[in-house]
Amino acid sequence: MNGVNEPDEMARFQTFWIQMWKNKPLDDSRKTGAASGTKMAFYSIIEAGARAHALAQRERCYAIIITALRSLKGEEVSHKEFRSPIISSAQSSLNPATRKKYICQVIQLGVQSSDKIFHEYLYRALIDIGLEDELLEFGGPDLVPFLQNAMQTKYTELLARYYVLKQQHVLAAHVLLRLAERRSNGLENFLTLDQRRQYLNNAVIQAKSASESDGLPNSVRDSGLLDLLEGKLTVLQFQIRIKEELESVVCKLESAPNNSEAEVLQTVKEKVKELSLDLKSITQLYNEYAVLFELWEICLEMLYFASYSGDTDSSIVRDTWARFMDHALSKGGIAEACSALTRIGSHVYSGDDAVLPLDTLCLHLEKAALDRLVSGDETVGDEDVARALLAACKGSVELVLNTYDQLLTSGAVLLSPTLKLRLLRSVLVVLGEWAGSVSARRMGSSPIGASLVLRGTFSLDQRTAINHGIRDKITSAANRYMTEVTRLALPQSQTESVYSGFKELELSLSTSFSYDRF
């Protein structure tokens, strides 16, 4: 080390530190009488001017220590600030490990002091210098209140890091939540939604870590903390999605400027700005943004997330689904609507029709399919709507079949003969899917096995192994729907293929007829 003996250097530094800390000021500080006035800095009853003067003298001593830390950190310091040759030597001769050792010693000695004013001065300086890790490791018991009272983002982040370091995960989660929820007040303290999401993600991680470290898997969830954090994170995800949707609207309006839409553009921009400033509640996002701008897909997901049950007949849910389907139809016809139903329905379906009103969806789409087919606007297959409903409720065949049966037999909805025939065609598809799924399960749940069964490759004995109870249900339903077809006031030429389909399905369950069409 350029001929420098590090132990000697360490001894010189310790002598300097002890000298400083015993209030024996060096160089100019001795001339100013700093030692005699240091205690005056602590007395609030002293006249304000005298106290300020004493505090200023003491801070000159503090500055010497901070300058030493800066030098040990490797920063350039002015010799006017600190005239001791020790600093110059430290800057040039010490290796990183020794520098680190000296820094930790200075902090530890400083924390041992009873001078609380110096503690705050030291803590602020360590943060400013970039020695946060050392501060968190060696800070005294007054570090936490210091960080709590600082009211600055950086200090609050350090408090969260401190709690993580000390494995106080619940406290860390609460601090991170506070960071995520703080309001932005101007450009200097602007917090993006992505930053808020990161804080909440970390808060969730800490809450889960608390549960694991406690050895009680349900302790945090029982307290509601984890549920609270996960819920807030989900709501924030909605907020981000809405903001992105509105930003795309702004881009479209700006790319094709239209004077008549100038007011709309300004309104959307203001809403984007509102969404950027702070976290919104689920109610605010739904009423003031999603509904206002007809973001029906997000509306449905919000209703599902909130387990909405505000009206006994689910009219809001049904109306929202209808609007969502209309939007999809206008965008891409039956194909787009069925795709949207499959995507969102399978996400929100939970075993009942509280958030997935199958009867409303079925009738809405079947009517639209018939209208588009008759008008020639779109080629619609017999199976399109039925398969979308099945996919939306995760393959619950009986639920879909009951939905069609309710529409066909309840009399609550007036159906034209043509629309009834359309529904019966879909029922035929559903029954065929049911028969196929039962066969697939009996043959080992293999798609290939199901195909072989349906194509008559296996023997009669193998096919009769299908559960008799389900087979009887399908047979009975097929027979009943054949009767429904014969009652339609339509020409036989229109109904014959549907009638034959039910007949073939009925016979194929007890004979060797091919299932090829199903």
Side-chain angles (χ1 to χ4, degrees), residues 56 94 114 136 140 176 195 211 215 282 301 346 376 408 415 431 436 450 512:
L94 302 180
S114 60
L136 297 180
L176 288 164
Q195 289 173 318
S211 177
I282 188 76
E301 292 184 28
S346 60
L408 286 165
L415 305 174
L431 285 177
S512 59

Side-chain angles (χ1 to χ4, degrees), residues 118-138:
F118 174 67
H119 284 194
E120 294 186 5
Y121 192 96
L122 175 64
Y123 294 161
R124 283 193 296 269
L126 291 173
I127 294 170
D128 183 55
I129 296 171
L131 294 172
E132 292 96 342
D133 291 343
E134 290 78 6
L135 170 64
L136 297 180
E137 184 176 358
F138 299 110

